[in-house]
C-alpha cells in the first residue's frame, strides 16, 4: 500500500507528464487514492486471502489465535460489524464476515423469503459479496476522510501533522475476508466453476461448499439431507481451485463442509474399480439386505458384499439409505478425503454445540491429517441455554452431585435463572469458542444468522414501544440515546451515508462553487 506522501509524488510525476492538469491538486488526488486502496474485487480477494493464510499459520502455532465472524445479509450490516469491532477493540484483526446462503435465500431473493434449499438466484451471492465490499470500502473512505479533515485543519493552524499522517499511513482497513457460502455448487462442476469465478471477482477469498446433492440441498440443521459420492465432491473442489488459480488468487481458501453426521441418504451408487477404493468405501456405508437371486425383483439393483448377494435399501423416491450408526465414520472419511483433494478447512455440522463430541471426530481426522482445522457454525438453530444446562447437569451427575433441585424436563425455565446451574451453563457458553479452538481444532467460529435475529428483535422492541404507550420515547430512549452514549457513528446517519465525504469531494472538484449539505443549518450538528 502506498503512503500519502508516495501518492503525492506519484501524482506529481503524472502532472509533469500531462501539462494541462493544472487544476488537479496533488494533495487531493493523493488523498482520494489513499481513501480507495482496493480498485477491484480481485485486489480484495488477493489481499484477504493472504490475511486468512497468515491467520491459519498463527492458529497452527497457537490455538488461542482463532478467528471469528458474524453473518451479514446486507453491506450495511457488515460495515457496522466492522465499525463496532474497530471501536471497541481497535482493530479488525482475526475478524471476518460470513455470507450465509440461508440468509441470501431468506432475505435477498427476488422470489421472496425462501427456505435454505438453493432455490434463490445464484447471481445473488456474488452481488451480495460486491455489496458488502462496497460498504466496507466506503467505511475506509469515510474514516480516512475524517483524518484528512484533521490533517488539513492542523496544517492551517501550523501544527505538527506527524501523528495524523501516521494514522493515515497505518490505517487498519475495514476490508476483511469473507467466507462465502456457495451451497452445494448450484449445479454441476461447470456451474460451480462459473459461480466461483463471479464470487472471486466480487472479492471472495474463501469459498465454502457442502457435499449435498445440489438439486436436493437442505439446510444443515434440517432433515432430508442427501450427500454425494466423494468423486462428485472432488470434482467441485477441483473446479473451485481452478477458478482461484485462473484469476490469480493463489492463496484462495476452500472450506469443505460435510453434512454426513445428519445425513442418512445418497442419490447414487458410485462405480468401484477395485476393492477398497474410495467408491467401495462409500458403498460399504449403504444399508443392504441379503437376498437369494430367486427373490430378486425385476429391475432390482443388487450388490455383492463379502461374497453374498445383497439388495441396497432404497426408498420410494429412488434414494439409497445409509446404515445406522455410520454417520461419524462417514464424517471422518469425508473430511480426510476433502483435505487430501485440495480443501484447506473443514466444516462439520453437529446436532449440539458439544466440545467433546466435536473433538472426538477431529481427533480421528487428525490421525490421518494432522493439519485439520475447522470452521464451526455457532448456529442459532441450537438452543444454547438449554444445551449447556443439559451438559452441566450431565457433568454434575457424573461427578455424583445432587441435581434433584432441577427438573431435567424443564431446564429452560426462568426459575433457574440466577442459580448455580445458570451460572455454570453461562460460563460454558462464554468459554465455548476458546475451549473448542483449544480442544477441538476450531480455527474459525461464526454465527451464520445472527443479524437476521438481531434485526427482528430490535424492530420488534421498537415497534412494541413506538406503537404503544411510550410513543417517541421508545425511539429516543431505546435507540438514539443508546447510540449517542455508546458513541456509535451511525447516529450521524447523514455522515455515515457519505454526506461529509461527498461535500469534501464537491469542494475538491468545484472549489468555492461547491453546494455542500453540511453547515450551520444541518440538524445533525445537534449530535
Amino acid at each position: 500500500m502506498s503512503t500519502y506522501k508516495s501518492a503525492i509524488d506519484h501524482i506529481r510525476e503524472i502532472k509533469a507528464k500531462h501539462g494541462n492538469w493544472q487544476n488537479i491538486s496533488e494533495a487531493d488526488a493523493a488523498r482520494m487514492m489513499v481513501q480507495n486502496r482496493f480498485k477491484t474485487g480481485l485486489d480484495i480477494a488477493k489481499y484477504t486471502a493472504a490475511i486468512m493464510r497468515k491467520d491459519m499459520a498463527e492458529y497452527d502455532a497457537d490455538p488461542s489465535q482463532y478467528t471469528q465472524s458474524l453473518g451479514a445479509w446486507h453491506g450495511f450490516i457488515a460495515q457496522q460489524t466492522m465499525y463496532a469491532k474497530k471501536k471497541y477493540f481497535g482493530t479488525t484483526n482475526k475478524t471476518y464476515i460470513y455470507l450465509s446462503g440461508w440468509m441470501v435465500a431468506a432475505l435477498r431473493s427476488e422470489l421472496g423469503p425462501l427456505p435454505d434449499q438453493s432455490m434463490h438466484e445464484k447471481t445473488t451471492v456474488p452481488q451480495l459479496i460486491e455489496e458488502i465490499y462496497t460498504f466496507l470500502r466506503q467505511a475506509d473512505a469515510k474514516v480516512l476522510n475524517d483524518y484528512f479533515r484533521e490533517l488539513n485543519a492542523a496544517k492551517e493552524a501550523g501544527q505538527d501533522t506527524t501523528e495524523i499522517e501516521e494514522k493515515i499511513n497505518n490505517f487498519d482497513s475495514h476490508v476483511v475476508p469473507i467466507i462465502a457460502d456457495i451451497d452445494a455448487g448450484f449445479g454441476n462442476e461447470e456451474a460451480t466453476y462459473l459461480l466461483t469465478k463471479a464470487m472471486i471477482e466480487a472479492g471472495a477469498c474463501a469459498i465454502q461448499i457442502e457435499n449435498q446433492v445440489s438439486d436436493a440441498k437442505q439446510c444443515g440443521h434440517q432433515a432430508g439431507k442427501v450427500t454425494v459420492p466423494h468423486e462428485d465432491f472432488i470434482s467441485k473442489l477441483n473446479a473451485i481451485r481452478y477458478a482461484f488459480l485462473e484469476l490469480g488468487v493463489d492463496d484462495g481458501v476452500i472450506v469443505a463442509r460435510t453434512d454426513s453426521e445428519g445425513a442418512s441418504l445418497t442419490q447414487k451408487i458410485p462405480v468401484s474399480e477395485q476393492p477398497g477404493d474410495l467408491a467401495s468405501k462409500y458403498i460399504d456405508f449403504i444399508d443392504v439386505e441379503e437376498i437369494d437371486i430367486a427373490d430378486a425383483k425385476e429391475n432390482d439393483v443388487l450388490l455383492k458384499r463379502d461374497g453374498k448377494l445383497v439388495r441396497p435399501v432404497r426408498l420410494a423416491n429412488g434414494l439409497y439409505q445409509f446404515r445406522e450408526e455410520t454417520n461419524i465414520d462417514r464424517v471422518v472419511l469425508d473430511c480426510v478425503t476433502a483435505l487430501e483433494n485440495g480443501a484447506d478447512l473443514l466444516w462439520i455440522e453437529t446436532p449440539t454445540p458439544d466440545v467433546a463430541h466435536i473433538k472426538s471426530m477431529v481427533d480421528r481426522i487428525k490421525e490421518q491429517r494432522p493439519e485439520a482445522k475447522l470452521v464451526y457454525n455457532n448456529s442459532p438453530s441450537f438452543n444454547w441455554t438449554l444445551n449447556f444446562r443439559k451438559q452441566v447437569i450431565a457433568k454434575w451427575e457424573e461427578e455424583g452431585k445432587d441435581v434433584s433441585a432441577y427438573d431435567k424436563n424443564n431446564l429452560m425455565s426462568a426459575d433457574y435463572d440466577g442459580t448455580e446451574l445458570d451460572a455454570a451453563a453461562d460460563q460454558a457458553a462464554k468459554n465455548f469458542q476458546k475451549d473448542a479452538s483449544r480442544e477441538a481444532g476450531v480455527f474459525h467460529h461464526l454465527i451464520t444468522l445472527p443479524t437476521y435475529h438481531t434485526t427482528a428483535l430490535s424492530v420488534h422492541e421498537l415497534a412494541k414501544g413506538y406503537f404503544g404507550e411510550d410513543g417517541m420515547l421508545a425511539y429516543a430512549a431505546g435507540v438514539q440515546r443508546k447510540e449517542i452514549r455508546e458513541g456509535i457513528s451511525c447516529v450521524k446517519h447523514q455522515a455515515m451515508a457519505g454526506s461529509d465525504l461527498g461535500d469534501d469531494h464537491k469542494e475538491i472538484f468545484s472549489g468555492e462553487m461547491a453546494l455542500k449539505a453540511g453547515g450551520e443549518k444541518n440538524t445533525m450538528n445537534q449530535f
Side-chain angles (χ1 to χ4, degrees):
M1 175 184 174
S2 60
T3 65
Y4 179 46
K5 182 180 182 304
S6 66
I8 290 177
D9 292 339
H10 175 70
I11 298 299
R12 186 174 292 128
E13 291 176 8
I14 297 176
K15 283 185 67 176
K17 181 180 178 181
H18 301 279
N20 64 338
W21 287 14
Q22 64 273 12
N23 292 332
I24 300 300
S25 161
E26 295 161 9
D28 288 339
R31 165 183 177 174
M32 295 177 74
M33 286 177 60
V34 170
Q35 287 177 215
N36 184 20
R37 176 178 178 180
F38 305 100
K39 315 308 180 193
T40 69
L42 282 178
D43 290 339
I44 293 172
K46 293 174 183 178
Y47 167 76
T48 53
I51 290 175
M52 281 197 72
R53 293 290 177 176
K54 171 179 167 291
D55 288 346
M56 289 160 67
E58 290 178 356
Y59 173 81
D60 285 340
D62 178 3
S64 70
Q65 298 300 303
Y66 59 87
T67 56
Q68 299 170 283
S69 66
L70 294 174
W73 54 271
H74 192 280
F76 180 70
I77 298 290
Q79 180 194 68
Q80 292 306 302
T81 300
M82 289 304 111
Y83 253 90
K85 181 59 166 42
K86 285 194 72 174
K87 173 178 174 57
Y88 294 110
F89 304 99
T91 179
T92 58
N93 186 40
K94 300 286 189 292
T95 310
Y96 307 163
I97 292 294
Y98 180 65
L99 188 153
S100 161
W102 192 101
M103 286 208 286
V104 172
L107 298 171
R108 299 301 301 260
S109 173
E110 292 182 9
L111 300 174
L114 297 171
D116 185 21
Q117 297 173 352
S118 293
M119 295 165 61
H120 56 279
E121 307 85 352
K122 65 177 69 176
T123 52
T124 308
V125 181
Q127 287 168 359
L128 179 54
I129 295 168
E130 183 178 10
E131 175 183 290
I132 287 172
Y133 280 127
T134 297
F135 273 80
L136 295 181
R137 290 164 68 190
Q138 191 262 4
D140 280 3
K142 179 191 178 301
V143 175
L144 283 165
N145 192 67
D146 292 340
Y147 289 168
F148 278 110
R149 284 186 167 190
E150 287 183 42
L151 181 66
N152 291 339
K155 285 180 178 179
E156 290 177 6
Q159 298 171 349
D160 180 61
T161 61
T162 303
E163 185 176 339
I164 302 174
E165 289 186 31
E166 285 181 356
K167 285 199 301 184
I168 293 170
N169 292 330
N170 299 316
F171 180 71
D172 186 28
S173 176
H174 296 84
V175 171
V176 297
I178 287 177
I179 297 178
D181 185 2
I182 199 172
D183 283 12
F186 285 90
N188 63 19
E189 56 269 40
E190 174 68 4
T192 300
Y193 156 77
L194 293 171
L195 180 55
T196 298
K197 281 195 6 175
M199 293 166 71
I200 296 168
E201 288 169 338
C205 72
I207 305 295
Q208 171 221 320
I209 185 166
E210 58 201 80
N211 67 341
Q212 290 192 48
V213 174
S214 186
D215 62 355
K217 195 263 182 206
Q218 295 279 14
C219 173
H221 290 271
Q222 291 183 315
K225 291 183 288 295
V226 185
T227 62
V228 297
H230 298 97
E231 294 83 355
D232 292 22
F233 193 54
I234 291 170
S235 295
K236 292 191 175 183
L237 295 178
N238 290 340
I240 294 170
R241 183 61 65 198
Y242 277 113
F244 273 126
L245 294 173
E246 177 183 338
L247 295 174
V249 185
D250 299 343
D251 288 334
V253 176
I254 300 176
V255 181
R257 168 177 158 178
T258 173
D259 284 295
S260 287
E261 183 169 2
S264 60
L265 302 168
T266 185
Q267 191 176 50
K268 65 182 182 180
I269 300 175
V271 176
S272 175
E273 301 291 347
Q274 57 187 8
D277 63 10
L278 198 54
S280 178
K281 293 177 182 178
Y282 190 79
I283 295 170
D284 284 344
F285 290 127
I286 296 175
D287 196 10
V288 298
E289 54 185 356
E290 185 178 347
I291 69 164
D292 187 277
I293 189 62
D295 297 324
K297 299 176 181 178
E298 196 72 17
N299 296 321
D300 249 354
V301 175
L302 304 177
L303 296 171
K304 179 182 178 182
R305 179 176 291 178
D306 298 327
K308 299 175 182 178
L309 188 65
V310 296
R311 177 166 52 204
V313 175
R314 200 175 188 187
L315 305 184
N317 54 19
L319 299 174
Y320 297 96
Q321 184 171 295
F322 289 118
R323 289 183 288 117
E324 290 187 10
E325 309 303 328
T326 64
N327 54 343
I328 303 303
D329 291 338
R330 286 185 281 118
V331 166
V332 173
L333 181 59
D334 291 349
C335 290
V336 169
T337 302
L339 291 174
E340 289 176 344
N341 289 276
D344 302 292
L345 297 169
L346 303 171
W347 173 311
I348 300 172
E349 287 287 0
T350 61
T352 62
D354 186 327
V355 172
H357 178 59
I358 303 166
K359 174 178 166 54
S360 68
M361 290 185 286
V362 173
D363 284 350
R364 289 184 57 188
I365 296 165
K366 285 189 173 184
E367 289 175 4
Q368 300 178 65
R369 303 296 302 194
E371 79 280 14
K373 291 181 284 295
L374 295 190
V375 171
Y376 188 74
N377 178 7
N378 300 170
S379 175
S381 293
F382 300 143
N383 185 329
W384 287 81
T385 299
L386 180 60
N387 272 292
F388 284 120
R389 287 182 179 183
K390 284 183 176 181
Q391 290 177 28
V392 170
I393 288 290
K395 179 175 180 291
W396 284 353
E397 286 182 322
E398 186 178 329
E399 295 170 350
K401 187 170 181 174
D402 181 13
V403 297
S404 60
Y406 303 102
D407 178 0
K408 288 192 287 185
N409 295 317
N410 191 29
L411 291 178
M412 272 298 291
S413 172
D415 292 342
Y416 300 141
D417 293 355
T419 64
E420 183 184 7
L421 172 63
D422 183 50
D426 282 359
Q427 190 63 41
K430 184 176 181 178
N431 293 339
F432 176 78
Q433 292 171 308
K434 294 177 183 177
D435 292 344
S437 292
R438 182 185 65 252
E439 301 293 332
V442 178
F443 159 72
H444 185 75
H445 286 275
L446 61 92
I447 308 179
T448 44
L449 323 175
T451 52
Y452 177 90
H453 291 278
T454 56
T455 302
L457 178 62
S458 60
V459 171
H460 177 90
E461 290 295 326
L462 177 60
K464 179 175 67 173
Y466 181 73
F467 296 118
E469 293 183 0
D470 285 348
M472 196 56 203
L473 178 62
Y475 178 80
V479 180
Q480 191 178 76
R481 194 180 298 168
K482 291 180 179 179
E483 286 181 310
I484 294 170
R485 291 174 178 173
E486 283 289 321
I488 296 175
S489 296
C490 193
V491 71
K492 296 186 178 183
H493 50 259
Q494 305 286 16
M496 191 74 253
S499 180
D500 290 353
L501 191 62
D503 275 359
D504 285 5
H505 285 169
K506 290 176 187 176
E507 190 169 23
I508 290 170
F509 304 153
S510 303
E512 294 182 356
M513 295 186 299
L515 180 63
K516 297 192 290 183
E520 293 182 3
K521 294 185 178 180
N522 187 335
T523 60
M524 297 250 82
N525 291 329
Q526 298 170 41
F527 298 94

